[in-house]
Amino acid sequence: VVMMLACQRFVSVVRNSRTLSRHVTTWSPVGAAFNAQQRKVDLFQKNGLFGVPGLSTPAGFEVAQQRALRETEQLVETACNNPPGALTVETFDQLSDSLCKVADLADFVKVGHPDPAFRDAAEKACINIGTVVERLNTNVELCRSLKNLLDNKEVLDSLDPDTRRVAELFMFDFEISGIHLDESKRGKAVSLNVNLLDLNNEFLNGTHLPNRIEKTALPEHIRHCFSIDGNSIQIGGLHADSPDELVREAAYKIFLFPNSSLLLCLDDLLTCRNELAKLVGYESFAHRALNGTMAKTPGKVLCTCSHNVPIPQSRTAKDFNLMRDMKMKMNSRSTVLMPWDHSYFSSAVRAERYNIDPSLYSPYFSLGACMEGLNMLFSQLLGVSFQNEQPMAGEVWSEEVRKLAVVHETEGLLGYIYCDFFRRPDKPHQDCHFTIQGGRLKKDGEYQHPVVVLMLSLPPPTRSTPTLLNPGMMENLFHEMGHAMHSMLGRTRYQHVTGTRCSTDFAEVPSILMEFFATDYRVVNQFARHYQTGQPLPKSMVSRLCESKRICGAADTQLQVFYAALDQVYHGKPQNRSTTDILKKMQEKFYGLPYVPNTAWQLRFSHLIGYGAKYYSYLMSRAIASMVWRQCFQKDPFNRDMGERYRREMLAHGGSKEPMLMVEGKDTHYFSWPLPSSLSLGFLHYFSPISSFPRSPLLYV
């Protein structure tokens, strides 16, 4: 276990105008690695990205595609010509693995690589492989080989449960792609899916683009708050935490100003999705997307949102009143609470109630300390530890990327996590998890280790100061590491269902559960220590931080309800109204703060791509994570028996078991909790107090 290895001394030298003082703090090798500047890495040697031969140049993506296509042809022939049996499912999984190894890696590189040539090559690879996948999903002969297996009761009964589940999931993919249609309509379905690949990329890229305005349009005293380019000012975010109300208002109105071409792209995207859903036999795209999830139908999601306590009588109104009072107390220019005020004044209320100043906490949350905390937690809970590894030349895309081997105390190597944590130009300002390679059992009996990337947007360390996180950044780190550990510990036989390849409304459970650990004083006390003195974070400060999560939680949850409802309506039956008109109506009904004219927040709603019709998943997963926390870890967050059972009964299965069966305990031996008559109809009412402050990657763009 890394935490039991001999510690090394990490010495930081702090200079000031009068003296030179030395502060010595003891870190583990993992903590020291993340609190120090990375050793120089050669990015341009013959070794390819992630150690993949050939990916040392953008042209390598074309080579990787061609190799995957040759393997695809061979595997399709094998699947179609062999008699039905377990080999059929294994061949389908190999086929999926071969294509995913290119598509998943390219999916990350197209957004994460600093070289535009690599990004362009990766984007082309994504579209090309995606086109091949859509054609395979409407390949009648390939589908018939699987149908012959599923229709043969004797063969089906001989399969183990996981193999049978994977076979059914592959058939489900065929069905939602229109395999039952005639040849002409199948061709139409492929064309629509290929068109969607282009529209998805166009919209996703547009959501991150900054807006420009003439410099003279803004008051001179706030121009320095934004990026100035000649006579223009570039605004690439909401500046939601700025103490200057005029900065927040200007950023909100300019960043969210409607882009006519992106509005048309969104219209085309939603129309194309609806047309595809109708073509393959669904009432709407939302019905198609929710088939196979825990929620089952859009009606249940919208019913849950609509049954949330009406805003005027709810805790949400009380939260907004607290923010409004704080705004008046701070001598604001206006007493009307606006959408650009939500983040700032909810934080101000927490800070006043509990004397919370993020700058006082950050010195205790150095990145190295937080990584030590995660290492310590996983070691005690799951017998898993991190080992820092030096990447090979050409293996990583930035010299700031750290590579972690994830090692179990008895099972050995589980997989690898590449930590791309620091800001750089052209890198998206978002926290996310990417699967690069899924785990699976290979024919030779060896296990293909999962490989993932965690991407954050943290300030890089300097010579004298490590990266310091505020409490929100620390929670986000824990959240994303929950995804990574799901990938590491989901030891499935088939990569099609490995780790996070499960129902979307279950995939967020492990990550949100990690937020509960991040806000538990017993956990925080174990790692939060000053980066210079080594002094632990005072217990009173930890307690205040945890208690503050209860403040304004209802308003934050209400915002999530609004996002979830808007997502459902966009993907429901066509409304014959503009997406902005729909936004305005839904904001009035589900949020409580007024719509701002000439803004189009939906054009920054990047989750419409990866989470289309499934944004409610954050709310449902939070409800489940809350129940898991209360019944398993609230009493003792380091309980090894509970940790092992959590892994065995939930994490280890990835998507190979129905998530609702695991939640209800019908297919497990341990995890069984009292659920409402329909979890999907009541999840908003089952948050524990600490979880009433939901993490949202979209709370403020």
Side-chain angles (χ1 to χ4, degrees), residues 582-615:
I582 295 172
L583 171 77
K584 183 177 180 180
K585 180 178 179 180
M586 300 303 287
Q587 184 166 335
E588 179 183 329
K589 180 178 180 180
F590 287 102
Y591 186 21
L593 296 185
Y595 166 76
V596 179
N598 295 316
T599 63
W601 180 85
Q602 72 273 23
L603 300 184
R604 302 297 180 179
F605 197 1
S606 59
H607 275 59
L608 288 175
I609 301 305
Y611 281 66
K614 296 180 180 179
Y615 191 82

Side-chain angles (χ1 to χ4, degrees), residues 34-110:
F34 280 88
N35 268 359
Q37 291 183 309
Q38 178 83 314
R39 285 189 292 167
K40 295 293 184 183
V41 177
D42 192 335
L43 305 176
F44 304 105
Q45 290 298 312
K46 61 182 180 180
N47 297 304
L49 291 171
F50 300 101
V52 177
L55 282 185
S56 56
T57 66
F61 276 105
E62 180 63 30
V63 176
Q65 288 176 70
Q66 294 305 317
R67 182 171 59 247
L69 293 179
R70 287 193 299 271
E71 291 176 2
T72 295
E73 291 178 2
Q74 296 170 359
L75 291 166
V76 167
E77 184 177 352
T78 299
C80 293
N81 293 329
N82 282 344
L87 179 60
T88 306
V89 183
E90 292 170 10
T91 304
F92 267 77
D93 193 64
Q94 280 184 268
L95 178 58
S96 173
D97 184 57
S98 179
L99 294 170
C100 284
K101 279 181 178 176
V102 179
D104 288 343
L105 192 155
D107 197 44
F108 164 71
V109 172
K110 74 178 184 181

